[in-house]
Amino acid sequence: MSISQAISSHIPYLRRFSRALTGSQAGGDAYVLATLEAIVADPSAFEKELDVRTALYRLFLKVWSSVSVNDHVDDIGFSGDEVGAHRNLEAITLRPRIAFLLSSLEGFNTAEVAATLVCSIDEAAALIDAAGKEIANQIRTDVVIIEDEPFIALDLQTLVEEQGHRVIAVARTHREAVEAVNKERPGLILADIQLADGSSGLEAVNEILGSFSVPVIFITAYPERFLTGAPPEPAFLITKPFGVDSLKAVISQALFFDRKSHRKDEPESKSALV
């Protein structure tokens, strides 16, 4: 398979990454074009011994750091949540910003981030964590945890507070969850599915979202109840037992992109759960 055939399916995602990194459509696309031109001029610049996506993004970052193609670009017109996301992005230190985009936007795991940035896995994890902390400093918020298992709730509270947020309530039942949220109006909800009173955390969240919109991350041992293939599905879903780094990244992503959730029975076009 030729290089062009191997990378063709990755180009749209590289354009997305490039636009997010540069903050403009024209500038982002120009760097992608420069990367493709570099491959045509010197095919050996594309490291074939690496995974195709890793090799492509690694070469892109090399071109981006060494070639100025952004002398004049028109800023892309952002609307809604995108405005806040790009403003937040610009405030993150450069190298953690790149690691965060690779991880949260492009779905690279830590080892892939390390290979792309030519650093150790520990260094990549530290960069992603640093981005999460910088995001938390920008977007500190109050959090309600809906979880009936005390030890898990304590782990979640510790993790959330380590990121600079404040846990304002831990609810074990549907009624406690609704009362806590209606009283405190948090900026983020972490919710389990199965609650102590036998009710569904999803039902509690849907009732909560009937009065206002807020980012929701579901943390559950029963992902099959959500991942049915039929919309709507949650934007943010963590499976128990959860990894600390994965949960930190998802919390940062939910707040960074300000992905508001809406009732699960709202029309798909209006719902951020899908």
Side-chain angles (χ1 to χ4, degrees):
M1 181 184 297
S2 67
I3 295 177
S4 62
Q5 291 174 316
I7 68 175
S8 60
S9 64
H10 298 287
I11 297 303
Y13 302 101
L14 183 64
R15 292 174 65 195
R16 174 181 63 186
F17 173 77
S18 183
R19 291 176 181 186
L21 182 61
T22 62
S24 76
Q25 179 176 1
D29 289 351
Y31 278 107
V32 172
L33 178 59
T35 301
L36 299 179
E37 290 174 342
I39 294 174
V40 171
D42 181 11
S44 66
F46 185 83
E47 300 173 72
K48 294 181 180 180
E49 67 276 10
L50 298 174
D51 168 79
V52 171
R53 186 173 66 154
T54 298
L56 179 61
Y57 279 68
R58 182 191 281 193
L59 179 58
F60 166 83
L61 288 171
K62 181 178 180 180
V63 170
W64 174 77
S65 65
S66 62
V67 177
S68 178
V69 296
N70 200 18
D71 293 332
H72 177 74
V73 296
D74 296 323
D75 288 340
I76 187 172
F78 297 116
S79 60
D81 295 344
E82 291 177 327
V83 175
H86 280 266
R87 181 174 60 250
N88 296 334
L89 183 63
E90 291 175 356
I92 304 176
T93 307
L94 182 57
R95 195 161 171 82
R97 183 198 314 174
I98 296 171
F100 172 76
L101 287 172
L102 289 171
S103 174
S104 293
L105 186 65
E106 300 304 313
F108 283 51
N109 62 36
T110 306
E112 291 169 334
V113 172
T116 304
L117 294 179
V118 196
C119 66
S120 70
I121 292 177
D122 287 344
E123 288 171 331
L127 289 170
I128 295 169
D129 187 58
K133 290 178 179 177
E134 290 190 41
I135 291 168
N137 286 333
Q138 296 177 48
I139 322 173
R140 293 180 188 273
T141 195
D142 291 337
V143 180
V144 165
I145 297 173
I146 306 173
E147 170 61 63
D148 66 322
E149 297 183 35
F151 289 110
I152 294 179
L154 181 59
D155 285 345
L156 290 173
Q157 180 170 353
T158 300
L159 185 150
V160 166
E161 291 176 345
E162 285 178 350
Q163 285 196 290
H165 307 298
R166 182 171 68 116
V167 175
I168 54 177
V170 177
R172 299 180 66 249
T173 67
H174 182 133
R175 180 180 59 82
E176 289 177 2
V178 173
E179 289 178 353
V181 172
N182 286 339
K183 179 181 178 182
E184 303 290 351
R185 295 287 188 174
L188 176 69
I189 295 174
L190 304 182
D192 189 11
I193 289 182
Q194 192 65 43
L195 303 181
D197 58 353
S199 67
S200 165
L202 174 60
E203 293 173 357
V205 167
N206 269 336
E207 182 174 339
I208 289 164
L209 296 178
S211 57
F212 83 114
S213 297
V214 59
V216 178
I217 299 171
F218 286 98
I219 304 171
T220 178
Y222 308 100
E224 67 277 3
R225 298 189 184 184
F226 285 106
L227 303 179
T228 62
E233 292 183 347
F236 302 108
L237 178 66
I238 293 291
T239 302
K240 293 179 180 178
F242 56 83
V244 171
D245 290 338
S246 296
L247 183 54
K248 284 183 177 180
V250 171
I251 290 173
S252 296
Q253 185 179 3
L255 293 173
F256 182 84
F257 291 104
D258 195 24
R259 290 286 301 279
K260 296 290 195 301
S261 296
H262 304 273
R263 282 183 58 89
K264 202 171 188 221
D265 54 4
E266 284 185 355
E268 182 177 352
S269 61
K270 295 182 179 179
S271 177
L273 283 175
V274 294

